[in-house]
Amino acid sequence: MAANTESNLAQYFRSQTRSRLAVLGALISLLATGFAFILGGGFGTNIPASVFAGVTGLFINQALRLGSEERQRAIEFIRLFDEGDHSPKNDIKVFGEKIAEFGDITTDRAKDIYFSSEPCEAAFRAPLGRTLNFIEILGICVRNGDMNERIVQGFYIGLVCRAYSAAEPFLPALRNVDEDETHPVSQKSRPDLFVNAQWLYERWKPLYEVSDTA
């Protein structure tokens, strides 16, 4: 169910991005037409100016509407965080509880845990992956401008920075940088795994450190 939630979120924001790009493309074409009327003489002195003013006003209004949509998507993303028994909130809670049980974790210790066949440690792979998947989806949306960053940052900055920091020692194991054939998921190295989660953490970390010490 958590995988379905992540898939639905990703599909939703991809469709929103395609729609937004199509609208912006049409508006830019109209704006270019307005410039062409002015530069080329158009249909006279007054008509080109009015056409340009109308196109510019339409472009501004559409930009404002898109800004409103970005805010709405950010609010919707926050709402989905706490929805259902397998919500990202619950996954991250389980992840945090397991991390607390493990104590201080080095990269080598993280690899031992991730590769372990012990039921308790093997069961940790699911909440670890879902936590990073959630941050990855959030990173993709922020990076591509699909939602208002200030809104989601205000709600998620602490959670993202704490959760990613706790998960970071596991990334070499998850990415299988050593191309270990006993890897539980993939025998090949996957250096691009969770790169958007990493990008978001590195983007927000300085702001979180400032707010945490204020």
Side-chain angles (χ1 to χ4, degrees), residues 21-140:
L21 289 175
V23 171
L24 284 176
L27 288 172
I28 290 171
S29 296
L30 287 172
L31 190 59
T33 302
F35 275 118
F37 279 145
I38 292 175
L39 295 176
F43 302 117
T45 302
N46 296 324
I47 295 177
S50 63
V51 169
F52 177 71
V55 170
T56 303
L58 180 62
F59 183 84
I60 293 172
N61 288 335
Q62 186 63 27
L64 291 173
R65 188 177 71 82
L66 289 173
S68 177
E69 290 176 354
E70 289 173 1
R71 290 191 294 273
Q72 186 58 42
R73 286 196 290 270
I75 293 169
E76 180 68 9
F77 194 90
I78 291 171
R79 187 186 67 80
L80 290 171
F81 176 70
D82 196 21
E83 189 175 85
D85 294 335
H86 295 279
S87 65
K89 179 181 179 180
N90 288 337
D91 288 333
I92 294 171
K93 180 183 177 182
V94 173
F95 165 77
E97 290 171 349
K98 296 298 295 183
I99 285 290
E101 292 177 12
F102 294 142
D104 293 335
I105 300 176
T106 63
T107 302
D108 290 338
R109 171 64 177 139
K111 182 177 180 180
D112 290 340
I113 293 171
Y114 188 75
F115 277 69
S116 176
S117 59
E118 291 294 325
C120 179
E121 294 183 345
F124 173 69
R125 289 197 289 266
L128 169 65
R130 287 195 291 263
T131 295
L132 286 169
N133 279 337
F134 175 78
I135 301 174
E136 176 77 359
I137 291 171
L138 182 58
I140 291 171

